[in-house]
Amino acid sequence: MKPVELETVRLFLHVLAATVWVGGQITLAALVPALRTAGTDVPRAAATAFSRVAWPAFAVLVVTGVWNVLAEGDRGPAYEHTLMLKYVLVLASGITAYLHGRARTPRAMAVHGALTGVTALATLFVGILLAG
Ligand code: HEM
């Protein structure tokens, strides 16, 4: 049995939080059509419930992300550039999710919702790129 190290705990928490933030958004988006048939307010009630686990997961991503950066140290210019891109994507993922949650028109909801999904998926992809 491989030994469980601090790195195992660090990446476990980072990946777990990523599954909630990214996987949760995809699952909620897939559920919305069915939720709508249950009542016009049901999708927003489900989104509000999701946000109660999504934002703590985002906070865990930022904290374990900083821990990742400190633990990985200097891994050269290509890694640094990839990390800079990840910072921009994380910021965009958080801001678009916040704007999506506060959207009051179907158009704003759709645009910010789409941007939230795309930036979350892109952040996940760049995360895997960093770890490789
Ligand atoms: C939406 C937010 C985020 C998502 C979805 C995400 C996702 C991921 C994933 C899936 C990995 C690969 C883990 C592995 O295979 O070992 C990863 C690695 C990494 N993430 Fe994130 N992350 C997010 C936010 C952050 C933030 C805010 C930072 C920095 C402040 C960060 C820094 C890192 C670093 C440095 C690695 C590489 C760790 C290594 O080399 O083993 N991440 N991220």
mmCIF file of all heavy atoms in Angstrom, residues 19-73:
data_model
loop_
_atom_site.group_PDB
_atom_site.id
_atom_site.type_symbol
_atom_site.label_atom_id
_atom_site.label_comp_id
_atom_site.label_asym_id
_atom_site.label_seq_id
_atom_site.Cartn_x
_atom_site.Cartn_y
_atom_site.Cartn_z
ATOM 1 N N THR A 19 -14.474 18.775 -8.184
ATOM 2 C CA THR A 19 -15.612 17.955 -8.623
ATOM 3 C C THR A 19 -16.928 18.618 -8.238
ATOM 4 O O THR A 19 -17.899 18.561 -8.998
ATOM 5 C CB THR A 19 -15.580 16.539 -7.992
ATOM 6 O OG1 THR A 19 -15.671 16.650 -6.570
ATOM 7 C CG2 THR A 19 -14.323 15.784 -8.388
ATOM 8 N N VAL A 20 -16.961 19.290 -7.078
ATOM 9 C CA VAL A 20 -18.184 19.986 -6.650
ATOM 10 C C VAL A 20 -18.418 21.216 -7.538
ATOM 11 O O VAL A 20 -19.514 21.406 -8.068
ATOM 12 C CB VAL A 20 -18.081 20.408 -5.165
ATOM 13 C CG1 VAL A 20 -19.270 21.290 -4.768
ATOM 14 C CG2 VAL A 20 -17.982 19.189 -4.268
ATOM 15 N N TRP A 21 -17.357 22.058 -7.733
ATOM 16 C CA TRP A 21 -17.504 23.312 -8.476
ATOM 17 C C TRP A 21 -17.849 23.050 -9.939
ATOM 18 O O TRP A 21 -18.801 23.610 -10.477
ATOM 19 C CB TRP A 21 -16.222 24.138 -8.360
ATOM 20 C CG TRP A 21 -16.273 25.467 -9.048
ATOM 21 C CD1 TRP A 21 -15.698 25.802 -10.231
ATOM 22 C CD2 TRP A 21 -16.966 26.646 -8.606
ATOM 23 N NE1 TRP A 21 -15.976 27.096 -10.558
ATOM 24 C CE2 TRP A 21 -16.747 27.646 -9.580
ATOM 25 C CE3 TRP A 21 -17.735 26.941 -7.488
ATOM 26 C CZ2 TRP A 21 -17.271 28.931 -9.470
ATOM 27 C CZ3 TRP A 21 -18.267 28.224 -7.366
ATOM 28 C CH2 TRP A 21 -18.031 29.201 -8.333
ATOM 29 N N VAL A 22 -17.063 22.159 -10.589
ATOM 30 C CA VAL A 22 -17.261 21.921 -12.030
ATOM 31 C C VAL A 22 -18.367 20.899 -12.273
ATOM 32 O O VAL A 22 -19.317 21.142 -13.007
ATOM 33 C CB VAL A 22 -15.945 21.456 -12.697
ATOM 34 C CG1 VAL A 22 -16.146 21.303 -14.197
ATOM 35 C CG2 VAL A 22 -14.805 22.418 -12.388
ATOM 36 N N GLY A 23 -18.270 19.748 -11.576
ATOM 37 C CA GLY A 23 -19.263 18.695 -11.773
ATOM 38 C C GLY A 23 -20.648 19.133 -11.341
ATOM 39 O O GLY A 23 -21.657 18.806 -11.975
ATOM 40 N N GLY A 24 -20.692 19.937 -10.250
ATOM 41 C CA GLY A 24 -21.982 20.425 -9.757
ATOM 42 C C GLY A 24 -22.683 21.327 -10.761
ATOM 43 O O GLY A 24 -23.890 21.227 -10.963
ATOM 44 N N GLN A 25 -21.900 22.192 -11.423
ATOM 45 C CA GLN A 25 -22.488 23.095 -12.421
ATOM 46 C C GLN A 25 -23.078 22.300 -13.587
ATOM 47 O O GLN A 25 -24.178 22.587 -14.052
ATOM 48 C CB GLN A 25 -21.421 24.074 -12.938
ATOM 49 C CG GLN A 25 -20.988 25.111 -11.923
ATOM 50 C CD GLN A 25 -19.951 26.054 -12.494
ATOM 51 O OE1 GLN A 25 -19.968 26.381 -13.678
ATOM 52 N NE2 GLN A 25 -19.018 26.489 -11.644
ATOM 53 N N ILE A 26 -22.322 21.280 -14.037
ATOM 54 C CA ILE A 26 -22.787 20.479 -15.177
ATOM 55 C C ILE A 26 -24.067 19.724 -14.786
ATOM 56 O O ILE A 26 -25.048 19.704 -15.538
ATOM 57 C CB ILE A 26 -21.679 19.500 -15.621
ATOM 58 C CG1 ILE A 26 -20.473 20.275 -16.168
ATOM 59 C CG2 ILE A 26 -22.207 18.505 -16.641
ATOM 60 C CD1 ILE A 26 -19.234 19.425 -16.412
ATOM 61 N N THR A 27 -24.062 19.150 -13.576
ATOM 62 C CA THR A 27 -25.233 18.389 -13.119
ATOM 63 C C THR A 27 -26.450 19.291 -12.967
ATOM 64 O O THR A 27 -27.549 18.948 -13.427
ATOM 65 C CB THR A 27 -24.904 17.716 -11.767
ATOM 66 O OG1 THR A 27 -23.700 16.967 -11.916
ATOM 67 C CG2 THR A 27 -26.026 16.817 -11.307
ATOM 68 N N LEU A 28 -26.256 20.477 -12.360
ATOM 69 C CA LEU A 28 -27.382 21.400 -12.177
ATOM 70 C C LEU A 28 -27.949 21.821 -13.536
ATOM 71 O O LEU A 28 -29.157 21.826 -13.742
ATOM 72 C CB LEU A 28 -26.930 22.629 -11.382
ATOM 73 C CG LEU A 28 -28.015 23.624 -10.994
ATOM 74 C CD1 LEU A 28 -29.043 22.975 -10.075
ATOM 75 C CD2 LEU A 28 -27.412 24.850 -10.317
ATOM 76 N N ALA A 29 -27.047 22.124 -14.491
ATOM 77 C CA ALA A 29 -27.509 22.538 -15.827
ATOM 78 C C ALA A 29 -28.337 21.428 -16.469
ATOM 79 O O ALA A 29 -29.362 21.693 -17.103
ATOM 80 C CB ALA A 29 -26.309 22.876 -16.702
ATOM 81 N N ALA A 30 -27.929 20.176 -16.247
ATOM 82 C CA ALA A 30 -28.660 19.041 -16.835
ATOM 83 C C ALA A 30 -30.023 18.856 -16.173
ATOM 84 O O ALA A 30 -30.970 18.385 -16.800
ATOM 85 C CB ALA A 30 -27.832 17.763 -16.677
ATOM 86 N N LEU A 31 -30.139 19.252 -14.900
ATOM 87 C CA LEU A 31 -31.386 19.055 -14.146
ATOM 88 C C LEU A 31 -32.409 20.167 -14.384
ATOM 89 O O LEU A 31 -33.607 19.965 -14.175
ATOM 90 C CB LEU A 31 -31.081 18.976 -12.645
ATOM 91 C CG LEU A 31 -30.289 17.760 -12.152
ATOM 92 C CD1 LEU A 31 -29.986 17.906 -10.666
ATOM 93 C CD2 LEU A 31 -31.074 16.475 -12.410
ATOM 94 N N VAL A 32 -31.938 21.351 -14.827
ATOM 95 C CA VAL A 32 -32.836 22.509 -14.923
ATOM 96 C C VAL A 32 -34.112 22.246 -15.734
ATOM 97 O O VAL A 32 -35.212 22.568 -15.267
ATOM 98 C CB VAL A 32 -32.073 23.751 -15.437
ATOM 99 C CG1 VAL A 32 -33.030 24.832 -15.927
ATOM 100 C CG2 VAL A 32 -31.176 24.307 -14.325
ATOM 101 N N PRO A 33 -34.047 21.637 -16.946
ATOM 102 C CA PRO A 33 -35.300 21.410 -17.695
ATOM 103 C C PRO A 33 -36.330 20.613 -16.890
ATOM 104 O O PRO A 33 -37.511 20.978 -16.856
ATOM 105 C CB PRO A 33 -34.828 20.636 -18.926
ATOM 106 C CG PRO A 33 -33.382 20.984 -19.068
ATOM 107 C CD PRO A 33 -32.870 21.188 -17.673
ATOM 108 N N ALA A 34 -35.890 19.568 -16.207
ATOM 109 C CA ALA A 34 -36.818 18.753 -15.405
ATOM 110 C C ALA A 34 -37.318 19.548 -14.205
ATOM 111 O O ALA A 34 -38.511 19.490 -13.857
ATOM 112 C CB ALA A 34 -36.112 17.481 -14.935
ATOM 113 N N LEU A 35 -36.438 20.372 -13.585
ATOM 114 C CA LEU A 35 -36.837 21.178 -12.418
ATOM 115 C C LEU A 35 -37.909 22.189 -12.820
ATOM 116 O O LEU A 35 -38.827 22.483 -12.058
ATOM 117 C CB LEU A 35 -35.623 21.883 -11.832
ATOM 118 C CG LEU A 35 -34.545 20.991 -11.192
ATOM 119 C CD1 LEU A 35 -33.318 21.813 -10.832
ATOM 120 C CD2 LEU A 35 -35.094 20.289 -9.965
ATOM 121 N N ARG A 36 -37.785 22.726 -14.062
ATOM 122 C CA ARG A 36 -38.747 23.728 -14.526
ATOM 123 C C ARG A 36 -40.171 23.161 -14.556
ATOM 124 O O ARG A 36 -41.134 23.858 -14.261
ATOM 125 C CB ARG A 36 -38.381 24.190 -15.945
ATOM 126 C CG ARG A 36 -37.524 25.405 -15.963
ATOM 127 C CD ARG A 36 -37.612 26.284 -17.191
ATOM 128 N NE ARG A 36 -36.376 27.082 -17.176
ATOM 129 C CZ ARG A 36 -35.322 26.804 -17.948
ATOM 130 N NH1 ARG A 36 -35.396 25.819 -18.830
ATOM 131 N NH2 ARG A 36 -34.227 27.533 -17.881
ATOM 132 N N THR A 37 -40.293 21.852 -14.896
ATOM 133 C CA THR A 37 -41.640 21.248 -14.967
ATOM 134 C C THR A 37 -42.259 21.162 -13.571
ATOM 135 O O THR A 37 -43.480 21.060 -13.449
ATOM 136 C CB THR A 37 -41.565 19.828 -15.572
ATOM 137 O OG1 THR A 37 -40.780 19.008 -14.686
ATOM 138 C CG2 THR A 37 -40.926 19.825 -16.950
ATOM 139 N N ALA A 38 -41.432 21.238 -12.528
ATOM 140 C CA ALA A 38 -41.957 21.159 -11.143
ATOM 141 C C ALA A 38 -42.439 22.514 -10.632
ATOM 142 O O ALA A 38 -43.065 22.592 -9.585
ATOM 143 C CB ALA A 38 -40.855 20.620 -10.220
ATOM 144 N N GLY A 39 -42.086 23.592 -11.359
ATOM 145 C CA GLY A 39 -42.538 24.919 -10.940
ATOM 146 C C GLY A 39 -41.522 25.970 -11.346
ATOM 147 O O GLY A 39 -40.324 25.685 -11.355
ATOM 148 N N THR A 40 -41.975 27.196 -11.661
ATOM 149 C CA THR A 40 -41.058 28.222 -12.188
ATOM 150 C C THR A 40 -39.988 28.617 -11.177
ATOM 151 O O THR A 40 -38.892 29.021 -11.563
ATOM 152 C CB THR A 40 -41.847 29.491 -12.589
ATOM 153 O OG1 THR A 40 -42.738 29.785 -11.505
ATOM 154 C CG2 THR A 40 -42.615 29.283 -13.861
ATOM 155 N N ASP A 41 -40.298 28.501 -9.877
ATOM 156 C CA ASP A 41 -39.302 28.901 -8.872
ATOM 157 C C ASP A 41 -38.355 27.779 -8.486
ATOM 158 O O ASP A 41 -37.370 28.012 -7.770
ATOM 159 C CB ASP A 41 -40.008 29.412 -7.598
ATOM 160 C CG ASP A 41 -40.821 30.653 -7.891
ATOM 161 O OD1 ASP A 41 -40.495 31.312 -8.916
ATOM 162 O OD2 ASP A 41 -41.769 30.939 -7.135
ATOM 163 N N VAL A 42 -38.651 26.535 -8.927
ATOM 164 C CA VAL A 42 -37.851 25.392 -8.478
ATOM 165 C C VAL A 42 -36.395 25.464 -8.955
ATOM 166 O O VAL A 42 -35.481 25.236 -8.155
ATOM 167 C CB VAL A 42 -38.538 24.072 -8.896
ATOM 168 C CG1 VAL A 42 -37.667 22.877 -8.522
ATOM 169 C CG2 VAL A 42 -39.915 23.952 -8.253
ATOM 170 N N PRO A 43 -36.117 25.839 -10.228
ATOM 171 C CA PRO A 43 -34.707 25.932 -10.646
ATOM 172 C C PRO A 43 -33.910 26.915 -9.780
ATOM 173 O O PRO A 43 -32.774 26.610 -9.390
ATOM 174 C CB PRO A 43 -34.804 26.414 -12.093
ATOM 175 C CG PRO A 43 -36.120 25.932 -12.557
ATOM 176 C CD PRO A 43 -37.029 26.029 -11.366
ATOM 177 N N ARG A 44 -34.511 28.071 -9.475
ATOM 178 C CA ARG A 44 -33.762 29.044 -8.651
ATOM 179 C C ARG A 44 -33.549 28.503 -7.236
ATOM 180 O O ARG A 44 -32.460 28.663 -6.660
ATOM 181 C CB ARG A 44 -34.491 30.391 -8.589
ATOM 182 C CG ARG A 44 -33.713 31.447 -7.805
ATOM 183 C CD ARG A 44 -34.258 32.849 -8.030
ATOM 184 N NE ARG A 44 -33.846 33.376 -9.316
ATOM 185 C CZ ARG A 44 -32.639 33.910 -9.565
ATOM 186 N NH1 ARG A 44 -31.739 33.961 -8.588
ATOM 187 N NH2 ARG A 44 -32.331 34.382 -10.764
ATOM 188 N N ALA A 45 -34.543 27.783 -6.683
ATOM 189 C CA ALA A 45 -34.384 27.188 -5.338
ATOM 190 C C ALA A 45 -33.258 26.150 -5.365
ATOM 191 O O ALA A 45 -32.427 26.102 -4.448
ATOM 192 C CB ALA A 45 -35.706 26.545 -4.910
ATOM 193 N N ALA A 46 -33.195 25.355 -6.448
ATOM 194 C CA ALA A 46 -32.130 24.342 -6.567
ATOM 195 C C ALA A 46 -30.763 25.027 -6.706
ATOM 196 O O ALA A 46 -29.779 24.606 -6.084
ATOM 197 C CB ALA A 46 -32.397 23.452 -7.780
ATOM 198 N N ALA A 47 -30.720 26.127 -7.497
ATOM 199 C CA ALA A 47 -29.452 26.850 -7.695
ATOM 200 C C ALA A 47 -28.978 27.466 -6.383
ATOM 201 O O ALA A 47 -27.781 27.442 -6.075
ATOM 202 C CB ALA A 47 -29.645 27.927 -8.757
ATOM 203 N N THR A 48 -29.911 27.983 -5.604
ATOM 204 C CA THR A 48 -29.553 28.562 -4.298
ATOM 205 C C THR A 48 -29.000 27.475 -3.371
ATOM 206 O O THR A 48 -27.996 27.688 -2.686
ATOM 207 C CB THR A 48 -30.799 29.238 -3.672
ATOM 208 O OG1 THR A 48 -31.334 30.157 -4.610
ATOM 209 C CG2 THR A 48 -30.458 29.930 -2.370
ATOM 210 N N ALA A 49 -29.629 26.315 -3.389
ATOM 211 C CA ALA A 49 -29.137 25.201 -2.555
ATOM 212 C C ALA A 49 -27.741 24.781 -3.020
ATOM 213 O O ALA A 49 -26.845 24.559 -2.205
ATOM 214 C CB ALA A 49 -30.111 24.027 -2.646
ATOM 215 N N PHE A 50 -27.535 24.728 -4.353
ATOM 216 C CA PHE A 50 -26.215 24.351 -4.887
ATOM 217 C C PHE A 50 -25.149 25.361 -4.461
ATOM 218 O O PHE A 50 -24.031 24.992 -4.080
ATOM 219 C CB PHE A 50 -26.256 24.243 -6.420
ATOM 220 C CG PHE A 50 -24.897 24.084 -7.059
ATOM 221 C CD1 PHE A 50 -24.081 23.008 -6.731
ATOM 222 C CD2 PHE A 50 -24.427 25.013 -7.986
ATOM 223 C CE1 PHE A 50 -22.820 22.868 -7.311
ATOM 224 C CE2 PHE A 50 -23.172 24.878 -8.564
ATOM 225 C CZ PHE A 50 -22.372 23.806 -8.223
ATOM 226 N N SER A 51 -25.535 26.647 -4.485
ATOM 227 C CA SER A 51 -24.534 27.683 -4.145
ATOM 228 C C SER A 51 -24.043 27.522 -2.707
ATOM 229 O O SER A 51 -22.921 27.912 -2.398
ATOM 230 C CB SER A 51 -25.124 29.084 -4.357
ATOM 231 O OG SER A 51 -26.153 29.321 -3.432
ATOM 232 N N ARG A 52 -24.858 26.894 -1.846
ATOM 233 C CA ARG A 52 -24.424 26.697 -0.446
ATOM 234 C C ARG A 52 -23.274 25.699 -0.318
ATOM 235 O O ARG A 52 -22.556 25.720 0.669
ATOM 236 C CB ARG A 52 -25.616 26.243 0.413
ATOM 237 C CG ARG A 52 -26.538 27.404 0.827
ATOM 238 C CD ARG A 52 -27.460 26.989 1.986
ATOM 239 N NE ARG A 52 -28.559 26.160 1.517
ATOM 240 C CZ ARG A 52 -29.722 26.669 1.081
ATOM 241 N NH1 ARG A 52 -29.885 27.986 1.023
ATOM 242 N NH2 ARG A 52 -30.694 25.855 0.686
ATOM 243 N N VAL A 53 -23.091 24.820 -1.313
ATOM 244 C CA VAL A 53 -21.910 23.945 -1.308
ATOM 245 C C VAL A 53 -20.883 24.436 -2.335
ATOM 246 O O VAL A 53 -19.678 24.230 -2.165
ATOM 247 C CB VAL A 53 -22.256 22.458 -1.633
ATOM 248 C CG1 VAL A 53 -22.938 21.792 -0.467
ATOM 249 C CG2 VAL A 53 -23.065 22.315 -2.904
ATOM 250 N N ALA A 54 -21.353 25.119 -3.394
ATOM 251 C CA ALA A 54 -20.435 25.540 -4.464
ATOM 252 C C ALA A 54 -19.432 26.590 -3.978
ATOM 253 O O ALA A 54 -18.226 26.475 -4.252
ATOM 254 C CB ALA A 54 -21.237 26.081 -5.640
ATOM 255 N N TRP A 55 -19.913 27.631 -3.260
ATOM 256 C CA TRP A 55 -18.985 28.697 -2.850
ATOM 257 C C TRP A 55 -17.990 28.221 -1.796
ATOM 258 O O TRP A 55 -16.800 28.571 -1.889
ATOM 259 C CB TRP A 55 -19.745 29.947 -2.420
ATOM 260 C CG TRP A 55 -20.333 30.658 -3.603
ATOM 261 C CD1 TRP A 55 -21.683 30.791 -3.885
ATOM 262 C CD2 TRP A 55 -19.621 31.279 -4.685
ATOM 263 N NE1 TRP A 55 -21.840 31.464 -5.084
ATOM 264 C CE2 TRP A 55 -20.578 31.777 -5.596
ATOM 265 C CE3 TRP A 55 -18.261 31.463 -4.976
ATOM 266 C CZ2 TRP A 55 -20.223 32.445 -6.776
ATOM 267 C CZ3 TRP A 55 -17.914 32.126 -6.144
ATOM 268 C CH2 TRP A 55 -18.878 32.614 -7.025
ATOM 269 N N PRO A 56 -18.393 27.378 -0.807
ATOM 270 C CA PRO A 56 -17.366 26.807 0.085
ATOM 271 C C PRO A 56 -16.353 25.963 -0.708
ATOM 272 O O PRO A 56 -15.158 25.993 -0.415
ATOM 273 C CB PRO A 56 -18.194 25.942 1.044
ATOM 274 C CG PRO A 56 -19.524 26.603 1.076
ATOM 275 C CD PRO A 56 -19.751 27.113 -0.308
ATOM 276 N N ALA A 57 -16.831 25.229 -1.754
ATOM 277 C CA ALA A 57 -15.905 24.437 -2.575
ATOM 278 C C ALA A 57 -14.932 25.370 -3.302
ATOM 279 O O ALA A 57 -13.734 25.078 -3.400
ATOM 280 C CB ALA A 57 -16.691 23.606 -3.590
ATOM 281 N N PHE A 58 -15.431 26.522 -3.775
ATOM 282 C CA PHE A 58 -14.561 27.491 -4.459
ATOM 283 C C PHE A 58 -13.501 28.009 -3.495
ATOM 284 O O PHE A 58 -12.325 28.138 -3.851
ATOM 285 C CB PHE A 58 -15.390 28.644 -5.024
ATOM 286 C CG PHE A 58 -14.642 29.527 -5.986
ATOM 287 C CD1 PHE A 58 -14.445 29.128 -7.292
ATOM 288 C CD2 PHE A 58 -14.135 30.747 -5.580
ATOM 289 C CE1 PHE A 58 -13.760 29.931 -8.192
ATOM 290 C CE2 PHE A 58 -13.442 31.559 -6.469
ATOM 291 C CZ PHE A 58 -13.251 31.154 -7.777
ATOM 292 N N ALA A 59 -13.924 28.255 -2.252
ATOM 293 C CA ALA A 59 -12.968 28.724 -1.236
ATOM 294 C C ALA A 59 -11.895 27.662 -0.976
ATOM 295 O O ALA A 59 -10.697 27.990 -0.885
ATOM 296 C CB ALA A 59 -13.719 29.052 0.060
ATOM 297 N N VAL A 60 -12.309 26.392 -0.899
ATOM 298 C CA VAL A 60 -11.338 25.300 -0.705
ATOM 299 C C VAL A 60 -10.377 25.235 -1.895
ATOM 300 O O VAL A 60 -9.174 25.018 -1.723
ATOM 301 C CB VAL A 60 -12.065 23.950 -0.527
ATOM 302 C CG1 VAL A 60 -11.081 22.777 -0.538
ATOM 303 C CG2 VAL A 60 -12.871 23.936 0.766
ATOM 304 N N LEU A 61 -10.883 25.480 -3.119
ATOM 305 C CA LEU A 61 -10.021 25.475 -4.312
ATOM 306 C C LEU A 61 -8.953 26.557 -4.227
ATOM 307 O O LEU A 61 -7.788 26.325 -4.561
ATOM 308 C CB LEU A 61 -10.863 25.661 -5.570
ATOM 309 C CG LEU A 61 -11.531 24.402 -6.109
ATOM 310 C CD1 LEU A 61 -12.658 24.739 -7.067
ATOM 311 C CD2 LEU A 61 -10.510 23.495 -6.777
ATOM 312 N N VAL A 62 -9.354 27.736 -3.756
ATOM 313 C CA VAL A 62 -8.383 28.837 -3.645
ATOM 314 C C VAL A 62 -7.340 28.523 -2.569
ATOM 315 O O VAL A 62 -6.135 28.652 -2.821
ATOM 316 C CB VAL A 62 -9.101 30.170 -3.357
ATOM 317 C CG1 VAL A 62 -8.101 31.279 -3.072
ATOM 318 C CG2 VAL A 62 -10.006 30.551 -4.525
ATOM 319 N N VAL A 63 -7.807 28.048 -1.402
ATOM 320 C CA VAL A 63 -6.865 27.748 -0.303
ATOM 321 C C VAL A 63 -5.923 26.602 -0.693
ATOM 322 O O VAL A 63 -4.699 26.716 -0.572
ATOM 323 C CB VAL A 63 -7.651 27.399 0.985
ATOM 324 C CG1 VAL A 63 -6.713 26.870 2.073
ATOM 325 C CG2 VAL A 63 -8.418 28.620 1.492
ATOM 326 N N THR A 64 -6.476 25.488 -1.219
ATOM 327 C CA THR A 64 -5.608 24.367 -1.603
ATOM 328 C C THR A 64 -4.801 24.708 -2.846
ATOM 329 O O THR A 64 -3.721 24.173 -3.055
ATOM 330 C CB THR A 64 -6.440 23.091 -1.872
ATOM 331 O OG1 THR A 64 -7.450 23.370 -2.849
ATOM 332 C CG2 THR A 64 -7.076 22.572 -0.603
ATOM 333 N N GLY A 65 -5.323 25.653 -3.663
ATOM 334 C CA GLY A 65 -4.576 26.108 -4.830
ATOM 335 C C GLY A 65 -3.307 26.838 -4.414
ATOM 336 O O GLY A 65 -2.226 26.580 -4.951
ATOM 337 N N VAL A 66 -3.443 27.743 -3.449
ATOM 338 C CA VAL A 66 -2.260 28.464 -2.922
ATOM 339 C C VAL A 66 -1.289 27.460 -2.306
ATOM 340 O O VAL A 66 -0.071 27.537 -2.516
ATOM 341 C CB VAL A 66 -2.707 29.530 -1.897
ATOM 342 C CG1 VAL A 66 -1.514 30.135 -1.181
ATOM 343 C CG2 VAL A 66 -3.545 30.608 -2.569
ATOM 344 N N TRP A 67 -1.834 26.483 -1.581
ATOM 345 C CA TRP A 67 -1.004 25.414 -0.996
ATOM 346 C C TRP A 67 -0.274 24.660 -2.106
ATOM 347 O O TRP A 67 0.916 24.400 -2.005
ATOM 348 C CB TRP A 67 -1.901 24.472 -0.174
ATOM 349 C CG TRP A 67 -1.210 23.413 0.615
ATOM 350 C CD1 TRP A 67 0.140 23.241 0.819
ATOM 351 C CD2 TRP A 67 -1.842 22.353 1.338
ATOM 352 N NE1 TRP A 67 0.366 22.133 1.594
ATOM 353 C CE2 TRP A 67 -0.825 21.575 1.939
ATOM 354 C CE3 TRP A 67 -3.191 21.990 1.543
ATOM 355 C CZ2 TRP A 67 -1.117 20.444 2.711
ATOM 356 C CZ3 TRP A 67 -3.476 20.870 2.317
ATOM 357 C CH2 TRP A 67 -2.448 20.112 2.882
ATOM 358 N N ASN A 68 -0.959 24.350 -3.211
ATOM 359 C CA ASN A 68 -0.325 23.694 -4.365
ATOM 360 C C ASN A 68 0.857 24.521 -4.867
ATOM 361 O O ASN A 68 1.945 23.996 -5.099
ATOM 362 C CB ASN A 68 -1.330 23.542 -5.510
ATOM 363 C CG ASN A 68 -2.326 22.427 -5.317
ATOM 364 O OD1 ASN A 68 -2.133 21.568 -4.476
ATOM 365 N ND2 ASN A 68 -3.395 22.476 -6.091
ATOM 366 N N VAL A 69 0.611 25.841 -5.021
ATOM 367 C CA VAL A 69 1.660 26.723 -5.557
ATOM 368 C C VAL A 69 2.877 26.722 -4.637
ATOM 369 O O VAL A 69 4.016 26.565 -5.086
ATOM 370 C CB VAL A 69 1.115 28.156 -5.741
ATOM 371 C CG1 VAL A 69 2.225 29.115 -6.127
ATOM 372 C CG2 VAL A 69 0.003 28.181 -6.773
ATOM 373 N N LEU A 70 2.616 26.833 -3.329
ATOM 374 C CA LEU A 70 3.729 26.856 -2.358
ATOM 375 C C LEU A 70 4.453 25.517 -2.341
ATOM 376 O O LEU A 70 5.684 25.462 -2.306
ATOM 377 C CB LEU A 70 3.182 27.205 -0.975
ATOM 378 C CG LEU A 70 2.536 28.589 -0.840
ATOM 379 C CD1 LEU A 70 1.891 28.759 0.534
ATOM 380 C CD2 LEU A 70 3.561 29.686 -1.118
ATOM 381 N N ALA A 71 3.690 24.414 -2.422
ATOM 382 C CA ALA A 71 4.289 23.073 -2.347
ATOM 383 C C ALA A 71 5.075 22.740 -3.616
ATOM 384 O O ALA A 71 6.129 22.108 -3.560
ATOM 385 C CB ALA A 71 3.187 22.035 -2.135
ATOM 386 N N GLU A 72 4.587 23.190 -4.753
ATOM 387 C CA GLU A 72 5.245 22.858 -6.025
ATOM 388 C C GLU A 72 6.477 23.718 -6.274
ATOM 389 O O GLU A 72 7.380 23.315 -7.002
ATOM 390 C CB GLU A 72 4.238 23.004 -7.176
ATOM 391 C CG GLU A 72 3.098 22.009 -7.129
ATOM 392 C CD GLU A 72 3.567 20.555 -7.162
ATOM 393 O OE1 GLU A 72 4.556 20.276 -7.881
ATOM 394 O OE2 GLU A 72 3.007 19.711 -6.438
ATOM 395 N N GLY A 73 6.490 24.945 -5.684
ATOM 396 C CA GLY A 73 7.666 25.802 -5.843
ATOM 397 C C GLY A 73 7.881 26.217 -7.299
ATOM 398 O O GLY A 73 6.986 26.124 -8.126
#
